[in-house]
Amino acid sequence: MALRAPEGTRDLLPDEQRFWTHFKQTAADIFGRYGYQPIETPLFEQTDLFVRGIGEATDVVSKEMFSAISGENLKRLLAGESIKAKSRLSLRPEGTAGVVRAVVQNDLVPQGAAPAKLMYAGPMFRAERPQKGRQRQFNQVGIECLGADEPTVDAEGIIMLMRFYEAIGIPVDRTRLLVNSMGCEKCRPAYRDAVKAYMDEHADELCEDCLRRSEINPLRAFDCKKEGCAAVMEGAPKISDYLCDDCRAHYDAVKRLLDLAGISYIEDSRLVRGLDYYTRTVFEVQVVEGMGSQNAIGGGGRYDKLTEEVGGRPTPGFGFALGYERCLLALQAAGMELPGRPPCDIFVASVDDSVREVSFRIVQAARDVGLTAELDHQHRSLKSQFKLADKLNAVLVMVLGPDELASGVVKVRNMQTHHERTVELKALRSLMERFLGARCDAAATGQLFDQK
Ligand code: HAM
């Protein structure tokens, strides 16, 4: 049986790959206007980074990490030997921890410096049960801003994300933005204690996982998908009743800036997000219908303590990530089709084998000038070369036969207007250069080649 891609992964075939490139470019254009610069971090990191950064009580760390291990270390483990902590590696389940590690390691935010604004795009890995909109390898585009704790950072980040959805074509009226504040190390402990006490009272109604969570981080019980637990957690204390004055002022300022920008949002005091590093602002963008349960197309928040967790000096942070595949599902639900292959500028058809070498050189010259050019590689008849040119959506077809070659010319047919003219071989290069200049303007391209 032919092998298939692993469960929960998918191939990005050329049409989709083109869209993914456009998606990343649109993000880079928009986020670039807000000062975000590209960064790329490794696809795997020391497991400890994720345990310390994301939190061991999270599903992401406790259940969903893929470990990456070298053959040598695997042999050692199988032989019952231990391996060094730094050799325990995991595929990144998200991008924030790696970016924060890179910021600390490369000292990107020296004391007193302006914040580091970074953006990334690429695959993340989570061993979740695959379903529509939930994969084991998926792509995220994300941003992280390190070094500033002002609410303006949070607000401009959220505004920028909503601008991105608009630009990529996700109708804003099909989305909802949920916001909350998770408090800080001053006010959260009292809230955690209150949730823990509430969970203890309802211990007999909670699942094993939630009982374990109540010991490590009770707030994680808000993520539990089991109906019984969800019903219990509905009645749990709300963080909004526990925020300290500073956290409340920060939250109010973020909301005020969103109001001023005309961004609508829903306050959801049970939004805790699935990662432990958040402090203060958290938010999530969901698609209102047509996406089933996997309807979150992006989310993020502030993480003012994460840098210290991974061994850096205190550096406040804010960021978000959006899921490419889920955005694509939302776009397709709204009727978008993937863009097709762009037209081939020039197809060179050979009447017989005697001219193939010259055809090959013409095609090469066109590519060197900067045009897309193709020729037949399978000894097809002239008729099927024209069919291939049609399939490639060729703008011009050049036909070269022994007679043309003997006269030092080639026939050039404009496939849109079907006009044909004879061009001297020695004039081809300048023709190609003029084509390149006029390519952006299809009408001008047509005229150029139809001129006598
Ligand atoms: P997250 O909410 O875990 O946040 O993931 C962000 C987005 O990635 C989700 O909203 C969703 O669109 C997509 N996503 C997550 N898991 C899957 C999956 N299994 N299959 C398909 N798409 C998925 C983070 O990852 C944080 N690092 C965001 C952040 C950045 N917070 C601060 N800075």
Coordinates of all heavy atoms in Angstrom, one line a residue, residues 192-229:
R192 N -6.9 32.5 42.3 CA -6.6 31.0 42.2 C -7.1 30.3 43.4 O -7.7 29.2 43.3 CB -5.1 30.8 42.0 CG -4.6 30.9 40.6 CD -3.1 30.9 40.6 NE -2.5 29.6 41.1 CZ -1.5 29.0 40.5 NH1 -1.0 29.5 39.4 NH2 -1.1 27.9 41.0
D193 N -6.8 30.9 44.6 CA -7.3 30.2 45.8 C -8.8 30.1 45.8 O -9.3 29.1 46.3 CB -6.8 31.0 47.1 CG -5.3 30.9 47.2 OD1 -4.7 30.1 46.5 OD2 -4.7 31.7 48.0
A194 N -9.4 31.2 45.4 CA -10.9 31.1 45.4 C -11.4 30.0 44.4 O -12.4 29.3 44.8 CB -11.5 32.5 45.0
V195 N -10.8 29.9 43.3 CA -11.2 28.9 42.3 C -10.9 27.5 42.9 O -11.7 26.6 42.8 CB -10.5 29.1 40.9 CG1 -10.8 27.9 40.0 CG2 -10.9 30.4 40.3
K196 N -9.8 27.4 43.5 CA -9.4 26.1 44.1 C -10.4 25.7 45.2 O -10.9 24.5 45.2 CB -8.0 26.2 44.7 CG -7.6 25.0 45.6 CD -6.5 24.2 45.1 CE -6.0 23.1 46.0 NZ -7.0 22.1 46.3
A197 N -10.7 26.6 46.0 CA -11.7 26.4 47.1 C -13.1 25.9 46.5 O -13.7 25.0 47.0 CB -11.9 27.6 48.0
Y198 N -13.4 26.6 45.4 CA -14.7 26.3 44.8 C -14.6 24.9 44.2 O -15.6 24.1 44.3 CB -15.0 27.4 43.7 CG -16.1 27.0 42.8 CD1 -17.4 27.4 43.2 CD2 -16.0 26.4 41.6 CE1 -18.5 27.1 42.4 CE2 -17.1 26.1 40.8 CZ -18.3 26.4 41.2 OH -19.4 26.2 40.4
M199 N -13.5 24.6 43.6 CA -13.3 23.2 43.0 C -13.3 22.1 44.0 O -13.9 21.1 43.8 CB -12.0 23.2 42.1 CG -12.1 24.0 40.8 SD -10.6 24.0 39.9 CE -10.5 22.4 39.3
D200 N -12.7 22.4 45.2 CA -12.7 21.5 46.3 C -14.2 21.1 46.7 O -14.5 20.0 46.9 CB -11.9 22.0 47.5 CG -10.4 22.0 47.2 OD1 -10.0 21.3 46.2 OD2 -9.6 22.6 47.9
E201 N -15.0 22.2 46.8 CA -16.4 22.0 47.2 C -17.1 21.1 46.2 O -18.1 20.4 46.5 CB -17.1 23.4 47.2 CG -16.9 24.2 48.4 CD -17.4 25.6 48.2 OE1 -18.5 25.8 47.5 OE2 -16.8 26.5 48.7
H202 N -16.7 21.2 44.9 CA -17.4 20.4 43.8 C -16.5 19.2 43.3 O -16.7 18.7 42.2 CB -17.7 21.3 42.6 CG -18.7 22.4 42.9 ND1 -18.3 23.6 43.6 CD2 -20.0 22.4 42.8 CE1 -19.4 24.3 43.8 NE2 -20.5 23.6 43.3
A203 N -15.6 18.8 44.2 CA -14.6 17.7 43.8 C -15.3 16.5 43.2 O -14.9 15.9 42.2 CB -13.7 17.4 44.9
D204 N -16.5 16.1 43.8 CA -17.1 14.9 43.3 C -17.8 15.0 41.9 O -18.2 14.1 41.3 CB -18.1 14.4 44.3 CG -19.1 15.5 44.7 OD1 -18.8 16.7 44.5 OD2 -20.2 15.1 45.3
E205 N -17.9 16.3 41.4 CA -18.5 16.5 40.1 C -17.4 16.7 39.0 O -17.7 16.9 37.8 CB -19.4 17.8 40.1 CG -20.5 17.7 41.1 CD -21.0 19.1 41.4 OE1 -21.6 19.7 40.5 OE2 -20.9 19.5 42.6
L206 N -16.1 16.7 39.4 CA -15.1 17.0 38.4 C -14.3 15.8 38.0 O -14.3 14.8 38.7 CB -14.0 18.0 39.1 CG -14.6 19.4 39.4 CD1 -13.6 20.2 40.3 CD2 -14.9 20.2 38.1
C207 N -13.8 15.8 36.8 CA -13.0 14.7 36.2 C -11.6 14.6 36.9 O -11.2 15.5 37.5 CB -12.9 14.8 34.7 SG -11.8 16.1 34.2
E208 N -11.0 13.4 36.7 CA -9.7 13.2 37.2 C -8.7 14.3 36.8 O -7.9 14.8 37.6 CB -9.1 11.9 36.6 CG -9.7 10.6 37.2 CD -9.3 10.4 38.7 OE1 -8.1 10.6 39.0 OE2 -10.2 10.2 39.5
D209 N -8.7 14.6 35.5 CA -7.8 15.7 35.0 C -8.0 17.0 35.8 O -7.0 17.6 36.2 CB -8.1 16.0 33.5 CG -7.3 15.0 32.7 OD1 -6.4 14.3 33.2 OD2 -7.6 15.0 31.4
C210 N -9.2 17.4 36.0 CA -9.5 18.6 36.7 C -9.1 18.6 38.2 O -8.6 19.6 38.7 CB -11.0 19.0 36.6 SG -11.3 19.7 35.0
L211 N -9.2 17.4 38.8 CA -8.7 17.3 40.2 C -7.2 17.5 40.2 O -6.7 18.1 41.1 CB -9.1 15.9 40.7 CG -10.7 15.7 40.9 CD1 -11.0 14.3 41.4 CD2 -11.2 16.8 41.9
R212 N -6.5 16.9 39.2 CA -5.1 17.1 39.1 C -4.8 18.5 38.9 O -3.9 19.1 39.5 CB -4.5 16.2 38.0 CG -3.0 16.1 37.9 CD -2.6 15.1 36.8 NE -3.2 15.4 35.5 CZ -2.7 16.3 34.6 NH1 -1.7 17.0 34.9 NH2 -3.4 16.5 33.5
R213 N -5.5 19.1 37.9 CA -5.3 20.6 37.6 C -5.5 21.4 38.9 O -4.8 22.4 39.1 CB -6.3 21.0 36.6 CG -6.0 20.5 35.2 CD -7.2 20.8 34.2 NE -6.9 20.4 32.9 CZ -7.7 19.7 32.1 NH1 -8.9 19.4 32.6 NH2 -7.4 19.4 30.9
S214 N -6.5 21.1 39.7 CA -6.8 21.9 40.9 C -5.6 22.0 41.8 O -5.4 23.0 42.5 CB -8.0 21.4 41.6 OG -7.7 20.4 42.5
E215 N -4.7 21.0 41.7 CA -3.5 21.0 42.6 C -2.4 21.9 42.0 O -1.7 22.6 42.7 CB -3.0 19.6 42.8 CG -3.9 18.6 43.5 CD -4.3 19.2 44.9 OE1 -3.4 19.8 45.6 OE2 -5.4 19.0 45.3
I216 N -2.3 21.8 40.6 CA -1.1 22.5 40.0 C -1.5 23.9 39.5 O -0.9 24.9 39.9 CB -0.6 21.7 38.7 CG1 -0.4 20.2 39.0 CG2 0.8 22.3 38.3 CD1 0.0 19.4 37.9
N217 N -2.6 24.0 38.8 CA -3.1 25.3 38.4 C -4.6 25.2 38.1 O -5.1 24.9 37.1 CB -2.4 25.8 37.1 CG -2.9 27.2 36.7 OD1 -3.8 27.8 37.3 ND2 -2.4 27.8 35.6
P218 N -5.4 25.6 39.2 CA -6.8 25.4 39.1 C -7.5 26.1 37.9 O -8.5 25.6 37.4 CB -7.4 25.9 40.4 CG -6.2 26.4 41.2 CD -5.0 26.1 40.5
L219 N -6.9 27.2 37.4 CA -7.5 27.9 36.3 C -7.6 27.1 35.0 O -8.4 27.4 34.1 CB -6.7 29.2 36.0 CG -6.6 30.2 37.2 CD1 -6.1 31.6 36.6 CD2 -7.8 30.3 38.0
R220 N -6.7 26.1 34.9 CA -6.7 25.2 33.7 C -8.1 24.5 33.6 O -8.4 24.0 32.5 CB -5.6 24.2 33.8 CG -4.2 24.8 33.5 CD -3.9 25.0 32.0 NE -4.7 26.0 31.4 CZ -4.4 27.3 31.3 NH1 -3.4 27.7 31.8 NH2 -5.3 28.1 30.7
A221 N -8.8 24.3 34.7 CA -10.1 23.6 34.7 C -11.1 24.3 33.8 O -12.0 23.7 33.3 CB -10.7 23.5 36.1
F222 N -10.9 25.7 33.5 CA -11.8 26.4 32.6 C -11.6 25.9 31.2 O -12.5 26.1 30.3 CB -11.5 27.9 32.6 CG -11.9 28.6 33.9 CD1 -11.1 29.0 34.8 CD2 -13.3 28.8 34.1 CE1 -11.5 29.7 36.0 CE2 -13.8 29.4 35.2 CZ -12.9 29.9 36.2
D223 N -10.5 25.2 30.9 CA -10.3 24.7 29.5 C -11.0 23.3 29.3 O -11.0 22.8 28.2 CB -8.8 24.4 29.2 CG -8.0 25.7 29.3 OD1 -8.5 26.7 29.2 OD2 -6.7 25.5 29.6
C224 N -11.4 22.6 30.4 CA -11.9 21.3 30.3 C -13.1 21.2 29.4 O -14.1 22.0 29.5 CB -12.2 20.7 31.7 SG -12.6 18.9 31.6
K225 N -13.1 20.3 28.4 CA -14.2 20.2 27.4 C -15.3 19.3 28.0 O -16.4 19.3 27.3 CB -13.6 19.6 26.1 CG -12.5 20.4 25.5 CD -12.9 21.7 24.9 CE -11.8 22.6 24.3 NZ -10.8 23.0 25.3
K226 N -15.1 18.6 29.1 CA -16.1 17.7 29.5 C -17.3 18.5 30.1 O -17.2 19.5 30.8 CB -15.6 16.8 30.7 CG -14.4 15.9 30.2 CD -14.2 14.7 31.0 CE -13.1 13.8 30.5 NZ -11.8 14.4 30.7
E227 N -18.5 18.0 29.7 CA -19.7 18.8 30.0 C -19.9 19.0 31.5 O -20.2 20.2 31.9 CB -21.0 18.1 29.4 CG -21.4 18.5 28.1 CD -22.5 17.8 27.5 OE1 -23.4 17.4 28.3 OE2 -22.5 17.6 26.3
G228 N -19.7 18.0 32.3 CA -19.9 18.1 33.7 C -19.0 19.1 34.3 O -19.4 20.0 35.1
C229 N -17.7 19.1 33.9 CA -16.7 20.1 34.4 C -17.1 21.5 33.9 O -17.1 22.5 34.7 CB -15.3 19.7 34.0 SG -14.8 18.1 34.6

